Amino acid sequence: MATLTEENVLGALAQVPDPDRGGDIVALGMVSGLVIKDGNVGFAIEVDPERGPALEPLRQSAEKAVYDLAGVTSVTAVLTAHRQAQGGEPGGGQPQQAPQQPQGQPQGEPQGQPQQRGGALPDGVRSIIAVASGKGGVGKSTTAANVAVALSQLGASVGLLDADIYGPSMPRMMGVSGKPTSPDGQKIDPLESHGVKIMSMGFLVDEETPMIWRGPMVQSALQQMLREVTWGELDVLVVDMPPGTGDAQLTMAQQVPLAGAVIVSTPQDIALLDARKGLNMFRKVEVPCLGIIENMSYFACPHCGERTEIFGHGGARAEAERLDVDFLGEIPLHLSIRETSDAGMPIVAAEPDGPYAAAYRQIAEALLPKIGGGARQAPKIVVQ
Ligand code: ADP
């Protein structure tokens, strides 16, 4: 089978004209972030934001042109309003380093509310918090799902945005699947589960489709999931960030108007300073840290209930104190936490009267004043 090359793909895309500008989309410099992995191709088409909605046929023609090439098994094209950094080559797919200033907004300090950072809040959404971790596998998504459900049980209207587009886990954890619909053909209605409105790339892309897109495409996908969804009135939108502290995460943190970030850490992760990296990432983009959660804090035996502190519990609390960041609470390592989230029913929903739901609710209670009502003032962060 012929090897698929960047030239093949760009050659096919050069056959796709921009209907308004009289030239092909490659010659016009509109194609960026081209990624080819096995037979899977992804790229972004950069367009003026005003033209975005009218250019869906262009996006589809571009996908089709590439799909028709030999050796292509899947194509994902996204329209993006974001410009590649100067000098960025089409195949590079590197995330932008500089924050994009939303149009009409001055450079420098955001105006008025701290929420203006990263653009305006989506209509009806009162605050957005990120749940992040220094590395994968610490239970960030499990925590995000349970905290979201706990916030909703406390009476808040809650949305959950699965920004972990490389490995979306919310459909599975929240037990929701299917394709969201778009009654007006413009905005997508989120799905709903356990009292929480949910948007995840997992709803839009087949689970089998590898997530190969990077850079501008990731940013575009996140912006679409944030802004082109009918969230309605939300007290808080919880964003499950991708794990790690690389450029993609940094760019995301810059582009979402976050009220603050919650760092999930295990005791050993604290020891390895991964959580500190997470904190520093948000600090770089001036997003306040709302606190640290210690997950898998100790082992709670499902048989006898005995508590074993495998990793030397309490590291996160001590580290939070040292960094002058709030400690929001600790969640034990317990089989039923994993089983319930694997079964699509987070433990807060499955066993609302149990001790683990109570632990998550305590965290949600600690978060509420930091995100709601008069307390929307950004908390002071002092991170060394
Ligand atoms: P991350 O989002 O940080 O990659 P996940 O939330 O996907 O991590 O969790 C990784 C695995 O650990 C999952 O199988 C999840 O069910 C399990 N897990 C997370 N937190 C706990 C916990 N407190 N007790 C037991 N299992 C947990």
Side-chain angles (χ1 to χ4, degrees), residues 140-166:
K140 169 186 57 59
S141 300
T142 309
T143 307
N146 276 291
V147 168
V149 177
L151 283 164
S152 143
Q153 288 177 350
L154 292 173
S157 43
V158 183
L160 182 57
L161 170 55
D162 187 359
D164 192 348
I165 68 163
Y166 300 99

PDB file of all heavy atoms in Angstrom, residues 140-166:
ATOM      1  N   LYS A 140      -7.753  12.013  38.276  1.00  0.00           N
ATOM      2  CA  LYS A 140      -8.275  13.348  37.972  1.00  0.00           C
ATOM      3  C   LYS A 140      -9.706  13.274  37.444  1.00  0.00           C
ATOM      4  O   LYS A 140     -10.586  13.991  37.925  1.00  0.00           O
ATOM      5  CB  LYS A 140      -7.348  14.011  36.943  1.00  0.00           C
ATOM      6  CG  LYS A 140      -7.864  15.272  36.338  1.00  0.00           C
ATOM      7  CD  LYS A 140      -6.938  15.759  35.250  1.00  0.00           C
ATOM      8  CE  LYS A 140      -6.694  14.743  34.154  1.00  0.00           C
ATOM      9  NZ  LYS A 140      -7.902  14.290  33.438  1.00  0.00           N
ATOM     10  N   SER A 141      -9.942  12.391  36.466  1.00  0.00           N
ATOM     11  CA  SER A 141     -11.281  12.317  35.868  1.00  0.00           C
ATOM     12  C   SER A 141     -12.302  11.782  36.862  1.00  0.00           C
ATOM     13  O   SER A 141     -13.435  12.272  36.923  1.00  0.00           O
ATOM     14  CB  SER A 141     -11.261  11.428  34.623  1.00  0.00           C
ATOM     15  OG  SER A 141     -10.377  11.955  33.680  1.00  0.00           O
ATOM     16  N   THR A 142     -11.901  10.783  37.636  1.00  0.00           N
ATOM     17  CA  THR A 142     -12.802  10.235  38.655  1.00  0.00           C
ATOM     18  C   THR A 142     -13.189  11.340  39.639  1.00  0.00           C
ATOM     19  O   THR A 142     -14.356  11.475  40.025  1.00  0.00           O
ATOM     20  CB  THR A 142     -12.076   9.100  39.426  1.00  0.00           C
ATOM     21  OG1 THR A 142     -11.540   8.187  38.467  1.00  0.00           O
ATOM     22  CG2 THR A 142     -12.992   8.390  40.379  1.00  0.00           C
ATOM     23  N   THR A 143     -12.210  12.135  40.013  1.00  0.00           N
ATOM     24  CA  THR A 143     -12.469  13.220  40.956  1.00  0.00           C
ATOM     25  C   THR A 143     -13.368  14.274  40.316  1.00  0.00           C
ATOM     26  O   THR A 143     -14.335  14.738  40.935  1.00  0.00           O
ATOM     27  CB  THR A 143     -11.130  13.856  41.406  1.00  0.00           C
ATOM     28  OG1 THR A 143     -10.285  12.814  41.876  1.00  0.00           O
ATOM     29  CG2 THR A 143     -11.348  14.887  42.497  1.00  0.00           C
ATOM     30  N   ALA A 144     -13.072  14.626  39.059  1.00  0.00           N
ATOM     31  CA  ALA A 144     -13.885  15.646  38.382  1.00  0.00           C
ATOM     32  C   ALA A 144     -15.342  15.189  38.313  1.00  0.00           C
ATOM     33  O   ALA A 144     -16.266  15.962  38.592  1.00  0.00           O
ATOM     34  CB  ALA A 144     -13.333  15.906  36.989  1.00  0.00           C
ATOM     35  N   ALA A 145     -15.550  13.915  37.957  1.00  0.00           N
ATOM     36  CA  ALA A 145     -16.922  13.405  37.819  1.00  0.00           C
ATOM     37  C   ALA A 145     -17.631  13.430  39.172  1.00  0.00           C
ATOM     38  O   ALA A 145     -18.771  13.913  39.284  1.00  0.00           O
ATOM     39  CB  ALA A 145     -16.883  11.975  37.271  1.00  0.00           C
ATOM     40  N   ASN A 146     -16.976  12.939  40.198  1.00  0.00           N
ATOM     41  CA  ASN A 146     -17.627  12.882  41.511  1.00  0.00           C
ATOM     42  C   ASN A 146     -17.858  14.268  42.104  1.00  0.00           C
ATOM     43  O   ASN A 146     -18.906  14.514  42.708  1.00  0.00           O
ATOM     44  CB  ASN A 146     -16.801  12.016  42.477  1.00  0.00           C
ATOM     45  CG  ASN A 146     -17.112  10.549  42.306  1.00  0.00           C
ATOM     46  OD1 ASN A 146     -18.207  10.083  42.646  1.00  0.00           O
ATOM     47  ND2 ASN A 146     -16.165   9.804  41.755  1.00  0.00           N
ATOM     48  N   VAL A 147     -16.897  15.155  41.909  1.00  0.00           N
ATOM     49  CA  VAL A 147     -17.076  16.510  42.450  1.00  0.00           C
ATOM     50  C   VAL A 147     -18.218  17.219  41.698  1.00  0.00           C
ATOM     51  O   VAL A 147     -19.027  17.919  42.301  1.00  0.00           O
ATOM     52  CB  VAL A 147     -15.749  17.311  42.392  1.00  0.00           C
ATOM     53  CG1 VAL A 147     -15.977  18.790  42.662  1.00  0.00           C
ATOM     54  CG2 VAL A 147     -14.752  16.737  43.403  1.00  0.00           C
ATOM     55  N   ALA A 148     -18.291  16.986  40.389  1.00  0.00           N
ATOM     56  CA  ALA A 148     -19.381  17.605  39.620  1.00  0.00           C
ATOM     57  C   ALA A 148     -20.738  17.118  40.136  1.00  0.00           C
ATOM     58  O   ALA A 148     -21.654  17.915  40.361  1.00  0.00           O
ATOM     59  CB  ALA A 148     -19.220  17.287  38.131  1.00  0.00           C
ATOM     60  N   VAL A 149     -20.865  15.808  40.339  1.00  0.00           N
ATOM     61  CA  VAL A 149     -22.145  15.275  40.834  1.00  0.00           C
ATOM     62  C   VAL A 149     -22.413  15.803  42.253  1.00  0.00           C
ATOM     63  O   VAL A 149     -23.544  16.175  42.592  1.00  0.00           O
ATOM     64  CB  VAL A 149     -22.151  13.726  40.799  1.00  0.00           C
ATOM     65  CG1 VAL A 149     -23.443  13.175  41.384  1.00  0.00           C
ATOM     66  CG2 VAL A 149     -21.973  13.222  39.368  1.00  0.00           C
ATOM     67  N   ALA A 150     -21.357  15.869  43.069  1.00  0.00           N
ATOM     68  CA  ALA A 150     -21.540  16.373  44.437  1.00  0.00           C
ATOM     69  C   ALA A 150     -21.985  17.830  44.429  1.00  0.00           C
ATOM     70  O   ALA A 150     -22.881  18.222  45.199  1.00  0.00           O
ATOM     71  CB  ALA A 150     -20.231  16.222  45.224  1.00  0.00           C
ATOM     72  N   LEU A 151     -21.420  18.631  43.551  1.00  0.00           N
ATOM     73  CA  LEU A 151     -21.835  20.045  43.458  1.00  0.00           C
ATOM     74  C   LEU A 151     -23.306  20.120  43.073  1.00  0.00           C
ATOM     75  O   LEU A 151     -24.065  20.933  43.608  1.00  0.00           O
ATOM     76  CB  LEU A 151     -20.981  20.784  42.419  1.00  0.00           C
ATOM     77  CG  LEU A 151     -19.562  21.163  42.847  1.00  0.00           C
ATOM     78  CD1 LEU A 151     -18.697  21.523  41.633  1.00  0.00           C
ATOM     79  CD2 LEU A 151     -19.575  22.343  43.827  1.00  0.00           C
ATOM     80  N   SER A 152     -23.705  19.236  42.171  1.00  0.00           N
ATOM     81  CA  SER A 152     -25.101  19.244  41.745  1.00  0.00           C
ATOM     82  C   SER A 152     -26.018  18.801  42.891  1.00  0.00           C
ATOM     83  O   SER A 152     -27.088  19.367  43.099  1.00  0.00           O
ATOM     84  CB  SER A 152     -25.227  18.376  40.495  1.00  0.00           C
ATOM     85  OG  SER A 152     -26.408  17.666  40.482  1.00  0.00           O
ATOM     86  N   GLN A 153     -25.559  17.819  43.678  1.00  0.00           N
ATOM     87  CA  GLN A 153     -26.371  17.389  44.832  1.00  0.00           C
ATOM     88  C   GLN A 153     -26.509  18.502  45.866  1.00  0.00           C
ATOM     89  O   GLN A 153     -27.470  18.539  46.620  1.00  0.00           O
ATOM     90  CB  GLN A 153     -25.740  16.156  45.490  1.00  0.00           C
ATOM     91  CG  GLN A 153     -25.892  14.897  44.654  1.00  0.00           C
ATOM     92  CD  GLN A 153     -25.205  13.686  45.277  1.00  0.00           C
ATOM     93  OE1 GLN A 153     -24.456  13.810  46.239  1.00  0.00           O
ATOM     94  NE2 GLN A 153     -25.456  12.516  44.717  1.00  0.00           N
ATOM     95  N   LEU A 154     -25.523  19.407  45.869  1.00  0.00           N
ATOM     96  CA  LEU A 154     -25.601  20.526  46.814  1.00  0.00           C
ATOM     97  C   LEU A 154     -26.485  21.659  46.278  1.00  0.00           C
ATOM     98  O   LEU A 154     -26.594  22.712  46.883  1.00  0.00           O
ATOM     99  CB  LEU A 154     -24.201  21.067  47.110  1.00  0.00           C
ATOM    100  CG  LEU A 154     -23.277  20.134  47.906  1.00  0.00           C
ATOM    101  CD1 LEU A 154     -21.869  20.712  47.984  1.00  0.00           C
ATOM    102  CD2 LEU A 154     -23.822  19.881  49.306  1.00  0.00           C
ATOM    103  N   GLY A 155     -27.053  21.445  45.096  1.00  0.00           N
ATOM    104  CA  GLY A 155     -28.013  22.422  44.582  1.00  0.00           C
ATOM    105  C   GLY A 155     -27.482  23.323  43.491  1.00  0.00           C
ATOM    106  O   GLY A 155     -28.209  24.179  42.987  1.00  0.00           O
ATOM    107  N   ALA A 156     -26.214  23.154  43.116  1.00  0.00           N
ATOM    108  CA  ALA A 156     -25.675  23.995  42.042  1.00  0.00           C
ATOM    109  C   ALA A 156     -26.096  23.421  40.687  1.00  0.00           C
ATOM    110  O   ALA A 156     -26.313  22.215  40.567  1.00  0.00           O
ATOM    111  CB  ALA A 156     -24.151  24.035  42.135  1.00  0.00           C
ATOM    112  N   SER A 157     -26.231  24.286  39.678  1.00  0.00           N
ATOM    113  CA  SER A 157     -26.434  23.745  38.327  1.00  0.00           C
ATOM    114  C   SER A 157     -25.038  23.586  37.722  1.00  0.00           C
ATOM    115  O   SER A 157     -24.241  24.521  37.698  1.00  0.00           O
ATOM    116  CB  SER A 157     -27.326  24.641  37.483  1.00  0.00           C
ATOM    117  OG  SER A 157     -26.980  25.975  37.669  1.00  0.00           O
ATOM    118  N   VAL A 158     -24.773  22.367  37.272  1.00  0.00           N
ATOM    119  CA  VAL A 158     -23.393  21.995  36.967  1.00  0.00           C
ATOM    120  C   VAL A 158     -23.251  21.433  35.554  1.00  0.00           C
ATOM    121  O   VAL A 158     -24.095  20.664  35.087  1.00  0.00           O
ATOM    122  CB  VAL A 158     -22.908  20.911  37.976  1.00  0.00           C
ATOM    123  CG1 VAL A 158     -21.437  20.561  37.737  1.00  0.00           C
ATOM    124  CG2 VAL A 158     -23.111  21.367  39.410  1.00  0.00           C
ATOM    125  N   GLY A 159     -22.183  21.828  34.890  1.00  0.00           N
ATOM    126  CA  GLY A 159     -21.809  21.230  33.607  1.00  0.00           C
ATOM    127  C   GLY A 159     -20.447  20.572  33.769  1.00  0.00           C
ATOM    128  O   GLY A 159     -19.668  20.929  34.659  1.00  0.00           O
ATOM    129  N   LEU A 160     -20.183  19.621  32.913  1.00  0.00           N
ATOM    130  CA  LEU A 160     -18.906  18.912  32.962  1.00  0.00           C
ATOM    131  C   LEU A 160     -18.361  18.846  31.542  1.00  0.00           C
ATOM    132  O   LEU A 160     -19.003  18.275  30.657  1.00  0.00           O
ATOM    133  CB  LEU A 160     -19.143  17.509  33.531  1.00  0.00           C
ATOM    134  CG  LEU A 160     -17.964  16.581  33.738  1.00  0.00           C
ATOM    135  CD1 LEU A 160     -16.915  17.198  34.655  1.00  0.00           C
ATOM    136  CD2 LEU A 160     -18.453  15.264  34.357  1.00  0.00           C
ATOM    137  N   LEU A 161     -17.219  19.481  31.334  1.00  0.00           N
ATOM    138  CA  LEU A 161     -16.619  19.489  30.003  1.00  0.00           C
ATOM    139  C   LEU A 161     -15.381  18.604  30.030  1.00  0.00           C
ATOM    140  O   LEU A 161     -14.432  18.877  30.772  1.00  0.00           O
ATOM    141  CB  LEU A 161     -16.264  20.930  29.608  1.00  0.00           C
ATOM    142  CG  LEU A 161     -15.414  21.138  28.361  1.00  0.00           C
ATOM    143  CD1 LEU A 161     -16.039  20.464  27.163  1.00  0.00           C
ATOM    144  CD2 LEU A 161     -15.254  22.613  28.078  1.00  0.00           C
ATOM    145  N   ASP A 162     -15.418  17.566  29.253  1.00  0.00           N
ATOM    146  CA  ASP A 162     -14.322  16.607  29.188  1.00  0.00           C
ATOM    147  C   ASP A 162     -13.309  17.145  28.176  1.00  0.00           C
ATOM    148  O   ASP A 162     -13.443  16.920  26.980  1.00  0.00           O
ATOM    149  CB  ASP A 162     -14.914  15.267  28.725  1.00  0.00           C
ATOM    150  CG  ASP A 162     -13.939  14.127  28.774  1.00  0.00           C
ATOM    151  OD1 ASP A 162     -12.780  14.351  29.155  1.00  0.00           O
ATOM    152  OD2 ASP A 162     -14.350  13.002  28.449  1.00  0.00           O
ATOM    153  N   ALA A 163     -12.327  17.874  28.672  1.00  0.00           N
ATOM    154  CA  ALA A 163     -11.338  18.475  27.775  1.00  0.00           C
ATOM    155  C   ALA A 163     -10.183  17.534  27.518  1.00  0.00           C
ATOM    156  O   ALA A 163      -9.237  17.871  26.827  1.00  0.00           O
ATOM    157  CB  ALA A 163     -10.821  19.785  28.357  1.00  0.00           C
ATOM    158  N   ASP A 164     -10.283  16.338  28.099  1.00  0.00           N
ATOM    159  CA  ASP A 164      -9.227  15.351  27.885  1.00  0.00           C
ATOM    160  C   ASP A 164      -9.495  14.698  26.538  1.00  0.00           C
ATOM    161  O   ASP A 164      -9.952  13.559  26.455  1.00  0.00           O
ATOM    162  CB  ASP A 164      -9.281  14.328  29.027  1.00  0.00           C
ATOM    163  CG  ASP A 164      -8.057  13.443  29.046  1.00  0.00           C
ATOM    164  OD1 ASP A 164      -7.305  13.473  28.056  1.00  0.00           O
ATOM    165  OD2 ASP A 164      -7.869  12.722  30.041  1.00  0.00           O
ATOM    166  N   ILE A 165      -9.233  15.463  25.466  1.00  0.00           N
ATOM    167  CA  ILE A 165      -9.706  14.983  24.173  1.00  0.00           C
ATOM    168  C   ILE A 165      -8.874  13.825  23.639  1.00  0.00           C
ATOM    169  O   ILE A 165      -9.280  13.137  22.732  1.00  0.00           O
ATOM    170  CB  ILE A 165      -9.806  16.102  23.124  1.00  0.00           C
ATOM    171  CG1 ILE A 165      -8.432  16.599  22.750  1.00  0.00           C
ATOM    172  CG2 ILE A 165     -10.665  17.256  23.574  1.00  0.00           C
ATOM    173  CD1 ILE A 165      -8.481  17.358  21.472  1.00  0.00           C
ATOM    174  N   TYR A 166      -7.715  13.587  24.231  1.00  0.00           N
ATOM    175  CA  TYR A 166      -6.908  12.441  23.784  1.00  0.00           C
ATOM    176  C   TYR A 166      -7.468  11.138  24.346  1.00  0.00           C
ATOM    177  O   TYR A 166      -7.281  10.080  23.789  1.00  0.00           O
ATOM    178  CB  TYR A 166      -5.459  12.589  24.228  1.00  0.00           C
ATOM    179  CG  TYR A 166      -4.806  13.819  23.685  1.00  0.00           C
ATOM    180  CD1 TYR A 166      -4.689  14.962  24.465  1.00  0.00           C
ATOM    181  CD2 TYR A 166      -4.337  13.852  22.382  1.00  0.00           C
ATOM    182  CE1 TYR A 166      -4.100  16.102  23.964  1.00  0.00           C
ATOM    183  CE2 TYR A 166      -3.751  14.995  21.873  1.00  0.00           C
ATOM    184  CZ  TYR A 166      -3.633  16.115  22.669  1.00  0.00           C
ATOM    185  OH  TYR A 166      -3.064  17.241  22.171  1.00  0.00           O
TER     186      TYR A 166
END
